[in-house]
Amino acid sequence: MKRNSILTGLKEAKELNLRNNFDYIDAYSDYVKRTDNKTWSRGQKRFLDILYAKKRRSNKTQLQFH
């Protein structure tokens, strides 16, 4: 019985996660549709700059410990 309830909980969590992912996709696609290209591109550039800056910092930190 206990195993069945664990599996049921996992299945419900998986379905909730899937619904949340679809909600995010819908919200993001609405944002992209109503945002001009210049604004969207600027946001993408900022996001990627932050992402790659973190990667560079973490690579430098790893090099110091080797």
Side-chain angles (χ1 to χ4, degrees):
M1 283 285 186
K2 185 173 184 167
R3 180 181 171 148
N4 192 21
S5 65
I6 292 172
L7 292 177
T8 301
L10 289 173
K11 184 178 178 183
E12 290 171 358
K14 182 179 177 182
E15 290 172 359
L16 178 62
N17 186 40
L18 184 61
R19 280 195 305 267
N20 286 338
N21 287 343
F22 284 140
D23 289 344
Y24 172 80
I25 291 168
D26 289 341
Y28 189 73
S29 65
D30 289 342
Y31 166 77
V32 170
K33 288 177 187 177
R34 70 176 187 271
T35 305
D36 64 294
N37 286 337
K38 188 174 182 179
T39 303
W40 183 84
S41 295
R42 189 179 322 120
Q44 289 297 105
K45 181 186 180 315
R46 288 182 66 216
F47 171 73
L48 292 173
D49 286 347
I50 291 168
L51 183 70
Y52 286 115
K54 286 183 180 179
K55 182 170 175 40
R56 284 193 299 268
R57 283 194 305 267
S58 68
N59 284 342
K60 288 179 184 176
T61 304
Q62 289 174 359
L63 292 175
Q64 293 173 355
F65 292 113
H66 289 148

